[in-house]
Amino acid sequence: MKNFIAIIVLSCAVSACATVAVQPPGYRDLGTVAGVEVRVYSSYADLLRGLPPLVAAFFDTISRIYGRQWRLGGYYDQDKKIIHVLDNPASLVHEFKHHLEPSWVHGFPIRPEDQGWRQVGPDKMFTLRGREFPVGDRESVESVMSRFKEIYD
């Protein structure tokens, strides 16, 4: 009887671990490019959950103070080499610029002219390491990642 109970307890523990392991992480992993992993989140709440706790608390507080007009679009974790970004191609390029050009900084809160791009027709034109990089207003983060891989890998 003791063996039977032990087997039930062990199987419950294993199935609980398996249940936890298959839960979706709240982001799409787009892979690695130029030595940085890219994670794309579909919601602001998921993005905050994916960030280091102190960073998430800071940005959550800022968005509560300033409201919806100032929300984090992405975050580059320089220590772990991970870009956390909402499903927005311009935000992805902005965070990638932080990775490629560590000395590039912007003010806080970010003003439109500090985003790292200029408007050219319907596109946002970024400059990454002196190279022009347009991002169309209907482009996906996947297409931007594909272009990154062609250029930087």
Side-chain angles (χ1 to χ4, degrees), residues 24-69:
Y27 63 86
R28 294 189 324 271
D29 188 347
L30 292 189
T32 303
V33 63
V36 67
E37 179 184 345
V38 177
R39 297 177 179 177
V40 178
Y41 298 83
S42 57
S43 75
Y44 189 70
D46 285 339
L47 173 64
L48 289 180
R49 277 192 292 276
L51 298 178
L54 288 176
V55 174
F58 172 76
F59 285 111
D60 185 43
T61 301
I62 293 299
S63 68
R64 289 174 194 267
I65 292 169
Y66 289 99
R68 289 188 64 95
Q69 73 271 12

Side-chain angles (χ1 to χ4, degrees), residues 36-113:
V36 67
E37 179 184 345
V38 177
R39 297 177 179 177
V40 178
Y41 298 83
S42 57
S43 75
Y44 189 70
D46 285 339
L47 173 64
L48 289 180
R49 277 192 292 276
L51 298 178
L54 288 176
V55 174
F58 172 76
F59 285 111
D60 185 43
T61 301
I62 293 299
S63 68
R64 289 174 194 267
I65 292 169
Y66 289 99
R68 289 188 64 95
Q69 73 271 12
W70 197 94
R71 279 197 152 178
L72 181 69
Y75 175 76
Y76 172 52
D77 188 334
Q78 190 171 9
D79 295 333
K80 294 183 179 177
K81 301 286 188 230
I82 300 172
I83 291 175
H84 302 269
V85 68
L86 285 173
D87 196 350
N88 179 314
S91 295
L92 173 57
V93 179
H94 175 99
E95 298 308 325
F96 198 68
K97 186 172 177 74
H98 282 296
H99 171 66
L100 290 177
E101 302 173 11
S103 62
W104 179 70
V105 294
H106 49 68
F108 182 81
I110 301 173
R111 300 172 303 168
E113 59 270 22

Side-chain angles (χ1 to χ4, degrees), residues 8-23:
I8 291 175
V9 169
L10 182 60
S11 67
C12 287
V14 170
S15 67
C17 291
T19 303
V20 171
V22 296
Q23 289 180 350

